[in-house]
Amino acid sequence: ESGIRVEEIADQRGCVRDLNVTYPDGQPMVELDGLQIAPGTRLLVQGKSGAGKSTLLRSIAGLWPYGDGDVKLPERAKIAFLPQRNYMPDGTLASLMSYPDAPDTHDDADYVELLEAFGLARLAPQLHNFMPWNRILSPGEQQRIAAARAILARPDFLFVDEATSALDAQLEEQLYKALVQRLPGAAIISVAHRESVAAYHDRRLLIENGVATV
C-alpha cells in the first residue's frame, strides 16, 4: 500500500503537499513541501543526474508508491505519461496513435496531419497496415508517435519524462512546440536535459540536495 495519498478534489488545480519520496527500502530520495499545478502550467523539473527527477514526476502522477505525502488532482482529470520508451505493441499506426482508444475514435485526417507535423508523412500510406512497428520505427520515431498519441488523448495533465531523449535539438523543439500549441489547457510537467526546452515552460522545479523547490 502506498504511503503517498493520491485523491481527487473539486478544483481545477492540482496540488502537492508535504511529499517525501523514498527508495523502496525507505531511504529518502527527494522532498517537496508544496506545489500548485493550474491548467496550462508549463513546469520543467531540473537537477543533476540521479537527483530523483523522474521518480518525483512518477510520484505526482500516482505511479510511484514509496514515500508519504498528499497529491490532489481535479476530479475526473485525464492524465497521460510520456516515458523515454513507450508502449508500442504490434498493430496499425492508427491503433498506436489512438491507444488506449480504438482507432476509429479519430478520423484518418487527424492521424495524417500529426504524422506530417512530426516529420513522419512518409508513414501516412501505411496508417492501417498491421506491422511490428516497435521493430520498424527508430527510437526517435517512436517518441514522435507517442507525442502524437498524447495530443490525440487531450489530457488535463501531461507528464513528459525525458520523452525526447532520442531526438536531436531541432526535433525536440518541434515536438515541444506542438505539445504547447495543441494542448493549451493542459498542465505539462517535464523532465528534459537540453536548456532550449526551458523556452516552452514558464516555471522551474529545481532539485538540489534532496529538496525540490520552485
Side-chain angles (χ1 to χ4, degrees), residues 149-164:
R149 175 190 294 167
I151 288 171
L152 289 170
R154 306 202 65 79
D156 301 297
F157 291 82
L158 176 61
F159 296 88
V160 186
D161 184 14
E162 299 189 49
T164 56

Side-chain angles (χ1 to χ4, degrees), residues 186-200:
I188 299 177
I189 304 96
S190 307
V191 172
H193 289 290
R194 290 193 184 99
E195 188 61 31
S196 58
V197 173
Y200 299 95

Side-chain angles (χ1 to χ4, degrees), residues 1-193:
E1 184 178 350
S2 175
I4 300 175
R5 296 170 293 278
V6 181
E7 63 176 308
E8 295 185 346
I9 57 174
D11 195 320
Q12 288 188 325
R13 298 172 299 172
C15 67
V16 179
R17 294 176 183 168
D18 302 320
L19 182 63
N20 295 290
V21 182
T22 70
Y23 293 95
D25 63 3
Q27 291 296 312
M29 183 185 303
V30 59
E31 61 182 60
L32 173 60
D33 287 341
L35 176 67
Q36 295 278 344
I37 308 173
T41 292
R42 307 286 184 251
L43 178 67
L44 180 61
V45 181
Q46 295 184 309
K48 294 181 180 178
S49 178
K53 301 183 296 297
S54 294
T55 308
L56 178 62
L57 210 66
R58 294 188 183 102
S59 299
I60 298 173
L63 300 176
W64 182 264
Y66 305 107
D68 59 76
D70 294 290
V71 176
K72 302 180 186 295
L73 298 173
E75 290 178 335
R76 295 180 294 276
K78 193 169 186 179
I79 298 172
F81 198 96
L82 281 179
Q84 287 190 51
R85 296 182 63 184
N86 294 274
Y87 183 57
M88 292 282 162
D90 294 353
T92 66
L93 276 176
S95 69
L96 293 185
M97 295 171 72
S98 66
Y99 180 85
D101 297 321
D104 60 4
T105 304
H106 309 282
D107 295 332
D108 283 4
D110 296 327
Y111 297 123
V112 172
E113 195 273 330
L114 282 171
L115 288 172
E116 292 174 347
F118 285 118
L120 299 172
R122 65 178 178 80
L123 298 176
Q126 304 181 69
L127 189 61
H128 296 291
N129 289 356
F130 190 101
M131 300 179 73
W133 291 106
N134 66 323
R135 297 191 292 277
I136 295 172
L137 301 175
S138 70
E141 289 171 333
Q142 292 185 41
Q143 289 184 342
R144 283 178 279 171
I145 291 292
R149 175 190 294 167
I151 288 171
L152 289 170
R154 306 202 65 79
D156 301 297
F157 291 82
L158 176 61
F159 296 88
V160 186
D161 184 14
E162 299 189 49
T164 56
S165 59
L167 303 179
D168 60 32
Q170 182 178 356
L171 286 174
E172 182 178 56
E173 290 195 48
Q174 183 185 49
L175 185 147
Y176 266 101
K177 185 176 181 180
L179 292 177
V180 169
Q181 289 181 343
R182 294 165 184 265
L183 299 173
I188 299 177
I189 304 96
S190 307
V191 172
H193 289 290

